[in-house]
Amino acid sequence: MHSRKPFYIFVALLFIVGIAASVYRGIEHKVPFVPGEQVQSWSVDAKVSFSGRGKPAEVSFSLPQDPAFDVLVENASSPGYGLNITDSTENRRAVWSIREATGPQALYYRVTLVPTGKLDIVEELEPAPPEAYIWPVTEKLAAEQIIDDVWGRSATNLSFAQQLMGLINDTNQSQNMSLLLATNSATKLFLQMLHSKGVPAKPVSGLLLEDQRRRQQLSDYVHVYNQGKWELFDVNNNKQGRGQNLILWEFGDNSVLDVIGASNSQVNFSMLQETRSALATSIDMLSNTGTLDFSLYQLPLEEQSTFKGILLIPIGVLVVVFLRVIVGIKTSGTFMP
């Protein structure tokens, strides 16, 4: 009699592979395990407005690239304008261009974002130290006194940044701090002080997502590198860390909006929170990333229905075998002994 051990091992391997594939798609691509599951998404509209001067104009606008949000759908409305989107790994931008722009102009960009929950930004390799900020003569002595005092009372980049932010927002400020804040914004001063000690830090523009809000502006934040991770500081509000509804729109020193050949440029944001099917959202995301090539949902709808019926056959077989072996009901046909 032949051993059935290889057969059992093969069945076990198939079972493990199937479970592993389901778990992987559930964790990595957010494919739901139960029907009817819902997810929250955000629709964000950006309106770029400016005044044309009757000559060629070019508008460059930064696009979101935050690991905490996946871009589900994005499109732009720009009648009469040429549009080019650069998909750089570090700096995605939309560039509109036209031969002649006269009078008030408006360009629109819309994006649907799905939260991923990946709020931490990790970087294993430590960034190169920034160039030391050169203080004006009138501010140099006051800045050096504050920086040296705080540096001596800190142990890491994080503690140094925390104490600096506390001093900037202290209600009982010293004369030196008042002098520095008279000519610098709180965020700019915070960044300059960090660079003075070679602490890796960079400005960040972020948008706080609130349902049904209009004409919102980007806020200034600072990323401070500490032990393999970028820590976010909201100096204006004396807060550290980021919430679930904050999207980081632009990283580094790049400007959010550049306009050539026009004036009075500005950008406003409107946003709306929506509820979507988790399955439809995951399918759209997989289609965007090109990882849906061997999925059932890549087939036409007619074939999808056929294959869904075929996939029910193993369940039917299992039910019949249970009734035959455990319950004792007699069966015939394919499942007859």
Side-chain angles (χ1 to χ4, degrees), residues 90-139:
E90 297 181 356
N91 187 21
R92 296 179 65 242
R93 302 189 73 89
V95 180
W96 289 276
S97 58
I98 192 172
R99 281 293 178 180
E100 182 179 343
T102 304
Q105 304 287 311
L107 305 174
Y108 296 90
Y109 168 78
R110 169 173 289 186
V111 62
T112 301
L113 302 167
V114 180
T116 63
K118 301 176 182 178
L119 299 181
D120 294 334
I121 298 181
V122 180
E123 188 168 336
E124 298 179 356
L125 298 178
E126 184 171 355
E131 295 183 4
Y133 178 71
I134 301 177
W135 295 93
V137 177
T138 56
E139 301 176 0

Side-chain angles (χ1 to χ4, degrees), residues 169-189:
N169 290 279
D170 192 353
T171 54
N172 299 319
Q173 292 175 347
S174 64
Q175 291 183 353
N176 288 337
M177 184 61 73
S178 298
L179 172 65
L180 296 173
L181 286 174
T183 55
N184 300 280
S185 66
T187 302
K188 182 180 178 181
L189 179 61

Side-chain angles (χ1 to χ4, degrees), residues 291-308:
T291 55
L292 200 63
D293 295 339
F294 300 101
S295 170
L296 173 65
Y297 297 102
Q298 191 73 1
L299 298 173
L301 293 178
E302 184 177 352
E303 280 71 16
Q304 283 188 33
S305 301
T306 302
F307 274 88
K308 286 179 180 179

Side-chain angles (χ1 to χ4, degrees), residues 52-67:
R53 300 175 179 173
K55 59 182 182 179
E58 184 174 274
V59 179
S60 178
F61 176 61
S62 176
L63 303 183
Q65 200 171 9
D66 186 354

Side-chain angles (χ1 to χ4, degrees), residues 49-219:
S49 57
F50 58 93
S51 297
R53 300 175 179 173
K55 59 182 182 179
E58 184 174 274
V59 179
S60 178
F61 176 61
S62 176
L63 303 183
Q65 200 171 9
D66 186 354
F69 293 87
D70 282 333
V71 176
L72 184 62
V73 181
E74 62 178 349
N75 52 67
S77 176
S78 51
Y81 282 79
L83 175 62
N84 180 44
I85 295 180
T86 59
D87 289 325
S88 171
T89 56
E90 297 181 356
N91 187 21
R92 296 179 65 242
R93 302 189 73 89
V95 180
W96 289 276
S97 58
I98 192 172
R99 281 293 178 180
E100 182 179 343
T102 304
Q105 304 287 311
L107 305 174
Y108 296 90
Y109 168 78
R110 169 173 289 186
V111 62
T112 301
L113 302 167
V114 180
T116 63
K118 301 176 182 178
L119 299 181
D120 294 334
I121 298 181
V122 180
E123 188 168 336
E124 298 179 356
L125 298 178
E126 184 171 355
E131 295 183 4
Y133 178 71
I134 301 177
W135 295 93
V137 177
T138 56
E139 301 176 0
K140 183 176 181 181
L141 182 60
E144 288 179 348
Q145 288 179 354
I146 296 175
I147 293 171
D148 291 340
D149 178 58
V150 176
W151 184 260
R153 293 186 283 108
S154 63
T156 62
N157 293 346
L158 184 60
S159 60
F160 179 57
Q162 289 170 339
Q163 294 187 54
L164 276 180
M165 185 172 66
L167 284 178
I168 292 174
N169 290 279
D170 192 353
T171 54
N172 299 319
Q173 292 175 347
S174 64
Q175 291 183 353
N176 288 337
M177 184 61 73
S178 298
L179 172 65
L180 296 173
L181 286 174
T183 55
N184 300 280
S185 66
T187 302
K188 182 180 178 181
L189 179 61
F190 179 70
L191 193 63
Q192 292 168 352
M193 287 183 165
L194 291 172
H195 287 175
S196 296
K197 283 298 184 180
V199 176
K202 56 185 179 181
V204 179
S205 297
L207 180 66
L208 184 61
L209 300 175
E210 298 179 274
D211 191 23
Q212 299 183 15
R213 296 300 299 270
R214 301 174 59 194
R215 298 180 181 177
Q216 300 300 296
Q217 301 288 332
L218 295 176
S219 301

Side-chain angles (χ1 to χ4, degrees), residues 251-301:
F251 299 83
D253 296 322
N254 298 318
S255 61
V256 175
L257 178 64
D258 288 327
V259 179
I260 301 174
S263 58
N264 301 325
S265 61
Q266 63 176 346
V267 56
N268 295 314
F269 296 87
S270 303
M271 59 209 71
L272 182 67
Q273 190 176 24
E274 300 175 333
T275 301
R276 293 173 51 90
S277 165
L279 179 59
T281 301
S282 62
I283 292 174
D284 291 340
M285 291 303 305
L286 289 171
S287 299
N288 292 340
T289 57
T291 55
L292 200 63
D293 295 339
F294 300 101
S295 170
L296 173 65
Y297 297 102
Q298 191 73 1
L299 298 173
L301 293 178

